[in-house]
């Protein structure tokens, strides 16, 4: 049975990944690292926890040693739009947590998952069916940290056999914990507004296509890549994964089927728009499909149905 440490377990992905990992590997085999409030409801009763500032390597090492950890999920990052406003913070947090996790993994023989992102691509990358191996010249600090993360993770594998693997996440849609500071956050916010009976002001132009993914598929991706047979992996850091690509008009129409009176207007956020313009429209994920059997389950319509059901329970 794996013994897992999640560094950054209280954010959008961590709050749901911890529940899924505990359901697979057992409550006591998943240690949730926490640092910044707010903490999810019942966080401290749900299983083992450890206070970890990811920039303090000795705190990660201590949790790994004490709990005999063999797999680290490093989910610490400052998302794209916030990182553009605070580039040094984006760099220090993204690279600091990555290097600390890799160095601890090297010393204690752990596997490491650190998400990459569609943000690891840039304006010169082919926009449609973006290949697995292609130009990666992002023009955001977030994207640069993600490319560096991919390269240095492969380096630790080649040089020291650290079992580092990852996927390039698209925008993740989920109902439990809000994302914060991302370019793709609008695709979560829009559902909250619809369910709360409010109008939605969209920060991105109609026609801005990006890959998106519903949380259950994102969790499958993060878990299945770490369970994949290493003999079958040609790539490691990092795999394109995709399930749906849409623009603001498409998600709006999907929600309007259930809320015919729902209204969306536009007030473009120039920073987010320029980041979105530099990212691909849709990725080719055939390598993930071939090398470790990646298959998503949620398209836009299924995501909309489930998101609205979950948010009605949460908000009404
Ligand atoms: C962001 O928008 O910054 C993230 C991402 C796509 O990596 N959601």
């Amino acid at each position: 049975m794996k013994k897992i440490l999640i560094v950054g377990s209280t954010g959008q992905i961590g709050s749901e990944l911890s529940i899924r990992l505990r359901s697979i590997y057992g409550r006591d085999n998943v240690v949730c690292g926490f640092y910044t409030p707010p903490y999810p409801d019942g966080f401290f009763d749900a299983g083992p926890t450890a206070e970890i500032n990811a920039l303090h390597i000795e705190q990660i090492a201590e949790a790994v040693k004490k709990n005999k950890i063999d797999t680290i999920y490093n989910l610490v990052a400052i998302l794209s739009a916030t990182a553009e406003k605070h580039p040094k913070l984006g760099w220090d947090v993204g690279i600091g947590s990555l290097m600390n996790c890799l160095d601890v993994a090297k010393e204690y023989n752990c596997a490491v998952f650190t998400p990459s992102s569609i943000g690891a691509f840039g304006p010169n990358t082919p926009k449609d069916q973006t290949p697995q191996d292609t130009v990666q010249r992002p023009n955001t600090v977030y994207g640069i940290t993600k490319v560096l993360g991919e390269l240095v993770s492969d380096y630790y594998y080649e040089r020291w056999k650290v079992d580092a693997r990852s996927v390039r996440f698209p925008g993740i849609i989920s109902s439990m914990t809000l994302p914060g500071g991302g370019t793709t956050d609008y695709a979560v916010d829009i559902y909250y507004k619809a369910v709360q009976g409010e109008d939605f002001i969209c920060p991105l132009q109609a026609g801005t296509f990006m890959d998106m993914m519903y949380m259950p598929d994102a969790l499958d991706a993060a878990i299945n890549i770490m369970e994949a047979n290493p003999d079958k992996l040609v790539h490691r850091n990092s795999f394109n994964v995709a399930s749906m690509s849409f623009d603001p008009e498409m998600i709006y129409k999907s929600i309007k089927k259930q809320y015919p009176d729902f209204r969306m207007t536009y007030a473009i956020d120039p920073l987010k728009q320029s980041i979105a313009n530099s990212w691909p429209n849709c990725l080719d994920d055939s390598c993930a499909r071939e090398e470790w059997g990646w298959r998503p389950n949620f398209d836009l319509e299924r995501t909309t149905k489930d998101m609205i059901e979950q948010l009605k329970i949460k908000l009404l």
Side-chain angles (χ1 to χ4, degrees):
M1 193 58 86
K2 282 191 196 304
K3 291 278 281 180
I4 297 171
L5 172 66
I6 309 178
V7 182
S9 73
T10 58
Q12 187 197 14
I13 300 176
S15 58
E16 298 204 37
L17 184 65
S18 54
I19 296 169
R20 178 80 82 81
L21 288 173
R22 282 179 171 151
S23 76
I24 298 170
Y25 302 106
R27 174 190 189 278
D28 293 333
N29 290 325
V30 179
V31 179
C32 284
F34 67 93
Y35 182 56
T36 338
Y39 308 120
D41 285 348
F43 176 75
F44 293 100
D45 299 323
T49 58
E51 185 164 5
I52 294 176
N53 176 342
L55 301 186
H56 290 206
I57 190 168
E58 70 286 354
Q59 295 181 7
I60 304 174
E62 177 61 25
V64 164
K65 201 162 61 172
K66 184 171 153 211
N67 297 285
K68 299 188 170 45
I69 296 297
D70 56 38
T71 305
I72 301 171
Y73 278 85
N74 165 33
L75 303 180
V76 175
I78 304 290
L79 293 185
S80 54
T82 302
E84 280 312 287
K85 288 182 196 146
H86 308 282
K88 181 154 167 38
L89 180 73
W91 178 265
D92 288 348
V93 171
I95 299 304
S97 61
L98 168 76
M99 294 311 297
N100 287 344
C101 287
L102 285 172
D103 281 332
V104 170
K106 176 172 161 246
E107 182 162 353
Y108 292 96
N109 196 21
C110 301
V112 187
F113 175 88
T114 303
S116 186
S117 160
I118 53 173
F121 298 112
N124 306 330
T125 303
K127 282 223 166 297
D128 294 307
Q129 289 302 309
T130 303
Q132 171 68 38
D133 300 310
T134 185
V135 181
Q136 288 186 268
R137 304 275 301 170
N139 58 2
T140 61
V141 73
Y142 178 72
I144 295 168
T145 65
K146 291 301 177 191
V147 175
L148 192 141
E150 294 187 9
L151 294 174
V152 81
S153 298
D154 274 345
Y155 179 81
Y156 270 60
Y157 171 67
E158 297 293 341
R159 177 111 196 236
W160 292 298
K161 290 289 158 241
V162 174
D163 187 2
R165 310 177 184 189
S166 89
V167 299
R168 293 176 181 137
F169 276 136
I172 295 176
I173 299 173
S174 68
S175 56
M176 187 180 285
T177 306
L178 281 166
T183 304
T184 57
D185 293 4
Y186 91 91
V188 178
D189 299 339
I190 190 172
Y191 288 107
Y192 276 75
K193 292 291 184 202
V195 172
Q196 287 166 324
E198 294 171 31
D199 293 352
F200 178 63
I201 302 172
C202 185
L204 298 178
Q205 283 162 1
T208 306
F209 280 81
M210 287 184 287
D211 274 305
M212 301 280 178
M213 184 174 289
Y214 196 38
M215 184 62 92
D217 282 332
L219 301 182
D220 282 351
I223 294 166
N224 294 346
I225 181 59
M226 297 312 283
E227 286 291 347
N229 178 350
D231 299 340
K232 300 245 165 78
L233 298 182
V234 180
H235 300 85
R236 282 182 158 261
N237 299 285
S238 177
F239 281 94
N240 283 3
V241 285
S243 57
M244 58 184 131
S245 167
F246 56 75
D247 84 324
E249 288 293 314
M250 287 170 71
I251 188 170
Y252 175 53
K253 282 188 189 125
S254 167
I255 294 170
K256 257 180 105 69
K257 285 182 196 157
Q258 294 196 49
Y259 291 96
D261 295 335
F262 181 48
R263 269 175 35 90
M264 178 172 83
T265 55
Y266 289 93
I268 305 310
D269 176 328
L271 173 63
K272 289 190 177 177
Q273 187 64 53
S274 78
I275 297 173
N277 289 348
S278 77
W279 289 356
N281 296 335
C282 62
L283 304 189
D284 170 2
D285 61 0
S286 49
C287 289
R289 289 172 184 264
E290 281 156 27
E291 291 174 41
W292 49 278
W294 160 246
R295 294 277 180 285
N297 290 309
F298 286 84
D299 60 10
L300 178 56
E301 291 315 314
R302 219 178 141 204
T303 299
T304 296
K305 187 169 173 295
D306 202 62
M307 265 302 273
I308 289 173
E309 271 168 33
Q310 298 303 325
L311 287 179
K312 277 182 176 163
I313 296 167
K314 179 175 172 172
L315 300 173
L316 304 182

